[in-house]
Amino acid sequence: MLLELRIKNFVIIEDLSMEFSDGMNVLTGETGAGKSILIDAISGILGEKMTTDMIRTGFEKATLEGVFDVSGLPEVAGLLNDAGIEYDDTLIMRRELYSSGKGRCFVNAVQVPLAKVREISQYLIDIHGQNEHQEIARISKHRDLLDSFGGFQDSVSEMRKIHEHLNSIREKLSSFEIDEREKLRRIEFNSFAIKEIEDAGLNISEEVELKNEANMLANAEKLFKSVSTASELLNGEGAVLQLLKKAEQNLSSASEFDNDISNILESVTESYFSLEDAAQFLRSYNERIDFSPERVNFIEERLSLISSLRKKYGNSIEEILEYADKARRELHAITSSDEEIERLKEDERRVVLQARDKALELSERRMSAASVLEKKVMSELTDLGMGGTLFKVSIKREISESGEVESEGKRYMLYPHGLDRIEFMIAANEGEDLKPLNKVASGGEMSRIMLAIKNVILSSDIVDTLIFDEVDAGVGGKTADVVGKKLKLLSAKRQVLLITHLPQIASMSDTHFYIQKAKSGERVTTAVKKLSRKDKVREIARMLAGETITELSLQHAEEMVRISENQTVRTSV
């Protein structure tokens, strides 16, 4: 449920905050005051396309923020856990758009890609209006809606698992089933690669060690001379160590007469032993320096071999060894017995039959559910003033010679969801041909169709909030009253946000907002006022009578609100 909407520097809105309630939230006001801009802002939060001309003139950035209660949406919790985003029952989604064209999205203060925002948003709000993306008009949504209506989710889940199992079997088969010429080529190539790598006897740290040794050998003469000179200076005749030893002996004698000499003696002694260790290391180091040309040749040949293997099998010794492991696995798969292939083929035949039975059963159940859905939706449409409308659920299967499922002499393609391609079709007037739902021309008709379908399928719809932008377009009188009652019924189970121009519908609101233009300095901005009951009656009177509100229109408005309140009380009881 949408709890709060915050907008800064968006189109003509400077700084605005709205708090929504559950039930039916109605937005009314002057034409051009910015009602649809609020819907645009919500769409932006949900991940819809935004352009830089939506930033209020003179500002570098627009900020949109929505606060949602997601306590009843485990699907959202799963997505947040997968993304490593901390949450409680409240979700804050923020979107920033900069004049440079760049933008940023945040979920609970964690920056996320736009795709993640859209993934989460599908569980939060459906927007239905004349200029908005129609979630329910998407063909990809129709199968899910029918399956939800029929309660087929478990069957669809089982169908997906069978399809995944079938794909897994076929992937294993594909690793076996290659023609004999290719099979022999792969055996020869992999066998050669494995032998070449194994014969090389590589270890992971070898190349670095060889390069270090090669560098030392290349400079062996210079290195030997430098180390020898340093060793001689430390330990030769009359060198540092001999002089330091004499100094120690003299200081030792002197310390017998003056205790202050003892500290100096200790330092000299430590220096002597330290330098003696260094001299010993240098003697040992010189003994290890190898001038052997054979060793130099060995290292060069070894590095050349490693370089050759790197060109063939990987950029490092680790990758070369991994290549050998992969070649062994592939060689094992290729040379496995024909019995394994036959076993997989038998598994494939068995799972195809299992998939066929499940898919045909699911298809039959969908057809039965579609018939019921059609009747209920058309009944709702009659109540909504579209009595001549024909609503049809088209269920088709894709015929193909390579199809896995055979039935009544035809072969059909099998998909993770079964066999069926499902699409909602509409003929808005008698005598017209059925057309795809997303081809319906009238925005008002589309909104009412959405309302009818929502009322029928509501019990299985996971989206918490529904927004209707001018759902009353093209209706009036008794039909307007019916539309209002349908929306009111819908709002008992879902939060509803509604822009309307009809007083009959506005009178049924649980929360009423008035949208108007206001002055901010020298500029126009959109202002929103949450109406008290008294203000609500006055606004409905304005909607009835126009700008000149009469006593009669006030009485009429009061009566409409009172009737709506009484109906609400009776419904709740």
Side-chain angles (χ1 to χ4, degrees):
M1 183 175 78
L2 179 61
L3 300 176
E4 189 173 353
L5 175 65
R6 303 163 187 159
I7 306 171
K8 289 193 71 174
N9 303 323
F10 183 71
V11 193
I12 65 170
I13 297 175
E14 182 178 0
D15 192 352
L16 183 150
S17 179
M18 299 175 68
E19 293 184 4
F20 299 95
S21 66
D22 56 4
M24 188 165 163
N25 295 261
V26 166
L27 285 70
T28 65
E30 308 163 357
T31 300
K35 297 185 292 298
S36 292
I37 295 174
L38 298 175
I39 307 302
D40 291 338
I42 294 173
S43 297
I45 292 170
L46 300 179
E48 291 298 324
K49 182 178 179 181
M50 295 176 65
T51 56
T52 54
D53 59 1
M54 292 178 170
I55 302 173
R56 185 166 166 83
T57 302
F59 292 88
E60 293 296 316
K61 180 179 75 170
T63 304
L64 309 173
E65 190 169 271
V67 183
F68 299 86
D69 178 356
V70 294
S71 57
L73 296 173
E75 296 82 3
V76 172
L79 291 173
L80 296 176
N81 282 329
D82 291 343
I85 299 173
E86 295 184 1
Y87 66 95
D88 47 27
D89 290 343
T90 301
L91 178 70
I92 301 176
M93 299 180 69
R94 186 171 86 253
R95 188 166 178 188
E96 299 174 350
L97 178 65
Y98 294 84
S99 57
S100 63
K102 295 182 179 180
R104 300 192 302 173
C105 300
F106 297 86
V107 176
N108 282 359
V110 177
Q111 187 169 352
V112 297
L114 192 59
K116 176 59 68 175
V117 170
R118 290 171 177 160
E119 190 178 6
I120 295 171
S121 296
Q122 65 180 317
Y123 299 107
L124 300 177
I125 294 179
D126 273 354
I127 298 178
H128 306 296
Q130 297 184 63
N131 300 311
E132 295 298 333
H133 173 69
Q134 306 296 322
E135 169 69 15
I136 206 170
R138 291 195 297 186
I139 296 175
S140 60
K141 182 79 171 177
H142 298 174
R143 185 183 64 253
D144 292 339
L145 289 170
L146 179 62
D147 288 341
S148 294
F149 175 73
F152 305 145
Q153 293 94 330
D154 290 344
S155 293
V156 173
S157 177
E158 186 179 349
M159 183 73 248
R160 289 187 186 279
K161 289 179 182 177
I162 295 172
H163 193 271
E164 288 173 3
H165 187 197
L166 182 59
N167 280 343
S168 175
I169 293 171
R170 287 173 172 169
E171 286 175 4
K172 291 177 183 177
L173 272 172
S174 68
S175 67
F176 285 106
E177 295 183 330
I178 55 178
D179 63 57
E180 285 301 312
R181 183 179 299 175
E182 175 67 10
K183 181 177 180 180
L184 291 173
R185 191 187 72 80
R186 296 301 300 171
I187 290 174
E188 182 179 357
F189 181 82
N190 283 319
S191 298
F192 175 83
I194 292 167
K195 184 177 186 306
E196 187 175 31
I197 295 171
E198 287 179 346
D199 287 349
L202 302 172
N203 67 72
I204 293 199
S205 62
E206 178 180 8
E207 188 173 18
V208 173
E209 293 172 355
L210 286 172
K211 286 181 178 179
N212 288 338
E213 187 178 356
N215 182 60
M216 186 183 75
L217 289 173
N219 298 280
E221 185 176 354
K222 183 178 180 181
L223 186 64
F224 182 84
K225 184 177 180 181
S226 296
V227 172
S228 295
T229 300
S231 180
E232 185 68 21
L233 289 171
L234 284 174
N235 203 29
E237 184 67 31
V240 172
L241 283 173
Q242 289 185 5
L243 295 173
L244 201 58
K245 186 65 175 175
K246 290 180 178 179
E248 180 193 25
Q249 291 170 350
N250 285 294
L251 289 172
S252 178
S253 298
S255 66
E256 295 177 4
F257 307 107
D258 188 347
N259 288 335
D260 291 341
I261 300 297
S262 297
N263 292 332
I264 300 301
L265 174 62
E266 184 178 345
S267 296
V268 171
T269 302
E270 287 179 1
S271 298
Y272 176 81
F273 287 127
S274 177
L275 289 175
E276 190 176 47
D277 289 341
Q280 179 61 39
F281 172 81
L282 292 177
R283 284 194 299 273
S284 175
Y285 185 86
N286 257 357
E287 291 170 1
R288 296 201 308 270
I289 296 176
D290 188 358
F291 290 100
S292 168
E294 291 81 7
R295 181 62 182 172
V296 173
N297 290 337
F298 171 80
I299 291 173
E300 288 178 351
E301 290 173 0
R302 191 69 180 162
L303 288 172
S304 177
L305 173 62
I306 293 172
S307 177
S308 174
L309 294 175
R310 286 175 58 196
K311 290 177 182 178
K312 294 180 182 180
Y313 306 119
N315 294 322
S316 65
I317 290 179
E318 186 174 10
E319 289 185 13
I320 294 169
L321 295 175
E322 287 175 357
Y323 186 96
D325 289 338
K326 180 182 177 183
R328 291 187 194 97
R329 291 193 297 270
E330 184 175 339
L331 189 61
H332 174 74
I334 293 172
T335 56
S336 292
S337 68
D338 291 338
E339 292 180 3
E340 178 68 10
I341 295 175
E342 193 53 45
R343 185 189 67 78
L344 287 170
K345 286 183 176 179
E346 181 58 34
D347 284 348
E348 182 185 25
R349 288 189 287 269
R350 175 181 56 80
V351 176
V352 164
L353 289 176
Q354 184 184 7
R356 173 189 178 277
D357 293 343
K358 174 57 66 174
L360 289 173
E361 176 200 0
L362 180 57
S363 187
E364 291 297 323
R365 294 174 68 193
R366 281 171 171 160
M367 290 178 187
S368 297
S371 179
V372 176
L373 178 62
E374 290 167 353
K375 292 175 183 177
K376 289 190 173 185
V377 170
M378 284 192 287
S379 175
E380 290 284 333
L381 290 173
T382 298
D383 291 342
L384 293 167
M386 296 178 67
T389 300
L390 178 63
F391 175 78
K392 186 75 176 176
V393 181
S394 170
I395 301 180
K396 295 180 179 179
R397 303 170 184 171
E398 183 179 346
I399 299 174
S400 173
E401 292 182 1
S402 61
E404 295 94 334
V405 175
E406 184 176 1
S407 177
E408 299 177 351
K410 297 179 181 178
R411 300 191 71 84
Y412 301 104
M413 292 298 293
L414 178 69
Y415 296 100
H417 54 75
L419 301 173
D420 306 311
R421 184 184 187 278
I422 297 170
E423 184 175 6
F424 293 166
M425 309 289 287
I426 285 286
N429 299 293
E430 290 184 16
E432 292 184 2
D433 293 334
L434 286 164
K435 296 179 181 179
L437 190 62
N438 59 7
K439 300 296 183 184
V440 175
S442 165
E445 287 176 335
M446 177 65 89
S447 291
R448 279 178 279 165
I449 292 167
M450 300 306 111
L451 180 57
I453 294 173
K454 283 293 177 184
N455 266 326
V456 173
I457 304 180
L458 177 64
S459 60
S460 53
D461 194 346
I462 61 173
V463 178
D464 252 3
T465 300
L466 305 173
I467 296 178
F468 293 93
D469 186 0
E470 299 190 15
V471 70
D472 51 30
V475 302
K478 181 180 178 181
T479 302
D481 188 59
V482 173
V483 169
K485 289 178 180 177
K486 294 288 184 184
L487 288 166
K488 191 67 176 179
L489 179 64
L490 200 56
S491 71
K493 301 175 183 178
R494 295 287 188 274
Q495 182 190 43
V496 171
L497 274 62
L498 168 69
I499 293 176
T500 183
H501 293 289
L502 292 180
Q504 297 98 315
I505 295 176
S507 66
M508 299 181 189
S509 67
D510 294 303
T511 304
H512 193 137
F513 297 94
Y514 179 68
I515 318 298
Q516 62 182 341
K517 289 182 180 179
K519 278 277 190 177
S520 177
E522 296 299 318
R523 303 182 64 180
V524 172
T525 187
T526 293
V528 177
K529 181 181 180 182
K530 187 175 183 179
L531 302 183
S532 64
R533 186 187 184 283
K534 179 180 179 181
D535 290 335
K536 172 181 172 179
V537 170
R538 189 168 183 82
E539 168 61 3
I540 292 170
R542 183 195 66 81
M543 296 172 75
L544 288 166
E547 294 304 321
T548 304
I549 300 174
T550 64
E551 187 62 33
L552 184 61
S553 64
L554 284 170
Q555 291 176 6
H556 189 184
E558 172 65 34
E559 181 68 10
M560 292 173 69
V561 172
R562 186 183 59 79
I563 291 172
S564 174
E565 290 171 342
N566 289 339
Q567 288 175 338
T568 302
V569 170
R570 287 197 298 273
T571 302
S572 62
V573 173

